[in-house]
Amino acid sequence: MLSLKCAERVFVAVADYGNSEFISDKRKFLDKIMTVLSNKDAYVKANAVIKSMGNFHSQSSHFCQKSQSLSTSLTKAVDDKIIFEEPEDKRIRLEVHQERQEGSEKDASGKSIKESFERIFTFRMSIKCSGKLRKKLDLKRLSRDIGWRVEQASGWAVQLRQPDLEVCVHISDDHVTVGVPLTRHPLSRRNYIQESGLRAPIAWIMCTLAEIKFGDVILDPMCGKATILLEGASSWQDAFYIGNDNATDQINVAAENASSNSEKINVALADGLNMPYRDCCVDVIVCDAPFNQKYLTSLTPYVFFGKFLQEIHRVLRSDGCCVMLVSQQLVSVILTLVQDSESEFAETKDMSSKDTHPQEKLNQDNMVSPEQKRLNVPVAQRHSSSQERKSSEDVCETCTKDLKSQSELNVSDKVLEHTFTTQSVYPQRNKLFALSSQHDVK
Ligand SMILES: C[S@@+](CC[C@H](N)C(=O)[O-])C[C@H]1O[C@@H](n2cnc3c(N)ncnc32)[C@H](O)[C@@H]1O
């Protein structure tokens, strides 16, 4: 479980229930949550899981070395009384009750700490509240009350600084979840990402959806800090990763991230709406598209994504795959653009199948749909016919297939040569990737 790359945190669930029927009545809500949290059975289960995790050592090394699993730490805590680092998590942590007496070697029942394993768990509350209840609840008071219930039901002791456990309560309009995280730091922390942009589990999920294969060229044309590329390169190692962004500060961080974490990634400062890549040279595009006006400059989302989709279409192979993360609001814009483009393509195909005058054919190839005319979306860069696209792709196929069949260490140079249109925009060759010669070549 602790090696899950798609998870933010792993919790032992103590309680999880729908909240919608209580939301309007604060009294009812508080009664309900206190009843649920007083259920001793839930803590017996949690104790059992936490104890069994004490014997479980994560096989994975993907998350930060600093992020020792709680399982390991718990075992050590019993033996060595290790003092934990303060978590850096920014969520509200509210103190409850007094701290456990320092140096106390006996628990309430007079047993030594080693004899009573349950009692060794010290905890503090961490409450997160979103939605309508946020303004209605006094979180400090609620935290104190809940903390008292948890202490009674679980047998754990409250400790504010460096506790063994955090009991996390998340209250939203339709759900209340109570859980004990099994790791001190989120699983989403990666030791190969110095400064992250997009959350790493999301980046990993996007790469998984793209079904990256051996020798694929992966492009993130608005890569920001290169989180997606770093995540991809860590899990799908026999592929080539290229990224560009038009913001210097972002691409500088991306270069820094890539240099210290991977030798397979190349990044360049370039516009995603006018990419410096050849036609049909990329197998996979994975992109966390800009979602707010800050990035869209003077263009409307419709025009921005119209241009962007055209560029994606141009550089992607016909059997390529694009996974794009967009905000909910942008989904309809993108779907409309895709539909427009499909109907335009069908129209062009239909017309080109008829016997047409050469001049008429030329007009059709440069055809602009009424919607595009209105939006002033250029179509010039597009492959004007599927035939043209195919022949351009054939040339590219031949060269990159050759590349894929080579197991030389400098194959990355050639990928760059075949991907970028001009040498002047090649990324610095200080962190070029290499195909491992140990791998069988397909
Ligand atoms: C949502 S952020 C991507 C964050 C990135 N996934 C990360 O992990 O850091 C969108 C990025 O698109 C970039 N961007 C916006 N317009 C662009 C354009 N025309 N060409 C290239 N990049 C662009 C922004 O600079 C920003 O870094």
Side-chain angles (χ1 to χ4, degrees):
M1 229 186 334
L2 296 180
S3 57
L4 281 177
K5 286 216 166 193
C6 57
E8 191 74 34
R9 299 195 86 165
V10 179
F11 291 89
V12 178
V14 175
D16 182 18
Y17 64 92
N19 190 27
S20 37
E21 59 175 305
F22 303 106
I23 187 140
S24 51
D25 188 333
K26 191 172 141 190
R27 188 69 261 156
K28 256 187 170 177
F29 165 74
L30 291 175
D31 285 349
K32 170 76 181 169
I33 193 164
M34 293 307 170
T35 315
V36 170
L37 286 167
S38 303
N39 175 7
K40 288 194 177 169
D41 290 347
Y43 298 97
V44 172
K45 278 185 207 147
N47 270 332
V49 176
I50 292 165
K51 272 202 264 177
S52 70
M53 294 296 288
N55 301 323
F56 176 83
H57 285 265
S58 167
Q59 308 287 314
S60 81
S61 58
H62 80 263
F63 54 91
C64 193
Q65 290 300 312
K66 269 168 74 185
S67 160
Q68 275 182 313
S69 69
L70 175 63
S71 51
T72 316
S73 309
L74 277 175
T75 320
K76 282 191 179 156
V78 175
D79 295 338
D80 315 322
K81 305 260 179 334
I82 274 184
I83 298 190
F84 294 109
E85 274 174 53
E86 195 64 24
E88 289 153 26
D89 206 0
K90 300 241 170 18
R91 283 177 305 158
I92 312 165
R93 282 191 190 81
L94 294 166
E95 303 192 349
V96 279
H97 301 289
Q98 299 134 346
E99 288 192 29
R100 195 170 60 128
Q101 289 274 309
E102 285 292 327
S104 164
E105 291 294 312
K106 308 253 177 191
D107 74 0
S109 61
K111 289 180 185 166
S112 78
I113 288 173
K114 283 196 181 187
E115 280 168 339
S116 169
F117 193 69
E118 277 76 9
R119 203 61 203 171
I120 193 77
F121 294 157
T122 55
F123 79 100
R124 71 173 161 214
M125 297 303 306
S126 170
I127 299 197
K128 230 169 51 166
C129 185
S130 52
K132 289 181 197 148
L133 279 169
R134 197 170 169 182
K135 287 202 179 115
K136 287 193 194 166
L137 295 174
D138 175 350
L139 286 190
K140 201 163 186 170
R141 191 162 160 209
L142 185 61
S143 173
R144 201 178 310 125
D145 293 349
I146 292 179
W148 187 80
R149 299 284 174 141
V150 172
E151 191 174 31
Q152 297 303 306
S154 66
W156 303 335
V158 173
Q159 181 167 295
L160 306 180
R161 280 190 208 132
Q162 294 144 2
D164 302 329
L165 307 171
E166 230 180 312
V167 176
C168 299
V169 180
H170 183 203
I171 302 165
S172 70
D173 288 348
D174 51 5
H175 242 75
V176 176
T177 314
V178 184
V180 178
L182 286 175
T183 55
R184 178 155 293 283
H185 296 292
L187 294 190
S188 54
R189 275 206 201 174
R190 312 291 205 231
N191 58 2
Y192 46 81
I193 303 181
Q194 288 177 9
E195 197 181 317
S196 68
L198 181 66
R199 301 200 77 81
I202 306 289
W204 185 86
I205 290 166
M206 291 171 74
C207 292
T208 305
L209 288 172
E211 298 183 350
I212 297 169
K213 290 186 279 303
F214 177 87
D216 277 355
V217 175
I218 321 298
L219 168 69
D220 181 348
M222 301 196 177
C223 68
K225 300 184 173 86
T227 319
I228 296 176
L229 303 171
L230 289 157
E231 198 57 29
S234 117
S235 291
W236 292 268
Q237 292 174 2
D238 297 314
F240 308 98
Y241 294 85
I242 291 170
N244 64 276
D245 199 287
N246 68 349
T248 318
D249 56 339
Q250 295 292 302
I251 214 70
N252 284 344
V253 178
E256 189 60 36
N257 269 339
S259 68
S260 56
N261 287 304
S262 170
E263 299 214 316
K264 300 182 186 104
I265 304 165
N266 282 272
V267 291
L269 183 67
D271 188 357
L273 305 185
N274 186 16
M275 299 184 210
Y277 314 117
R278 294 178 201 279
D279 294 356
C280 314
C281 62
V282 169
D283 299 284
V284 169
I285 289 183
V286 190
C287 183
D288 165 22
F291 47 85
N292 63 21
Q293 203 54 43
K294 183 178 124 197
Y295 293 125
L296 305 182
T297 55
S298 56
L299 304 178
T300 65
Y302 215 91
V303 175
F304 183 95
F305 282 97
K307 287 176 181 236
F308 190 30
L309 289 181
Q310 281 175 13
E311 272 297 80
I312 287 176
H313 179 254
R314 182 183 68 76
V315 300
L316 203 57
R317 290 181 193 287
S318 57
D319 62 345
C321 163
C322 174
V323 176
M324 204 193 296
L325 182 67
V326 288
S327 66
Q328 199 64 44
Q329 290 94 320
L330 285 173
V331 171
S332 58
V333 172
I334 301 222
L335 287 178
T336 313
L337 282 162
V338 171
Q339 277 158 12
D340 282 356
S341 145
E342 273 170 2
S343 48
E344 185 206 334
F345 176 69
E347 256 178 72
T348 317
K349 210 173 144 194
D350 190 38
M351 285 174 145
S352 61
S353 66
K354 290 178 193 150
D355 209 6
T356 43
H357 187 273
Q359 183 54 45
E360 219 177 301
K361 170 84 177 61
L362 200 67
N363 293 344
Q364 282 166 14
D365 285 350
N366 290 325
M367 195 174 62
V368 180
S369 73
E371 186 65 5
Q372 279 165 330
K373 260 189 194 151
R374 194 171 63 76
L375 296 164
N376 195 21
V377 177
V379 289
Q381 291 163 345
R382 295 187 71 160
H383 295 278
S384 48
S385 69
S386 55
Q387 187 52 47
E388 193 182 313
R389 179 178 174 87
K390 192 76 210 136
S391 54
S392 157
E393 191 160 349
D394 283 345
V395 178
C396 224
E397 263 307 326
T398 326
C399 62
T400 44
K401 263 188 188 148
D402 281 351
L403 285 176
K404 286 183 185 183
S405 67
Q406 293 179 33
S407 57
E408 312 167 8
L409 287 177
N410 68 350
V411 71
S412 55
D413 268 343
K414 296 188 179 166
V415 170
L416 289 183
E417 213 176 296
H418 284 278
T419 310
F420 281 84
T421 45
T422 58
Q423 193 142 11
S424 60
V425 290
Y426 279 18
Q428 292 297 306
R429 201 208 174 286
N430 59 349
K431 46 195 166 320
L432 281 179
F433 38 81
L435 246 191
S436 164
S437 50
Q438 291 161 4
H439 284 274
D440 292 331
V441 176
K442 260 188 193 172

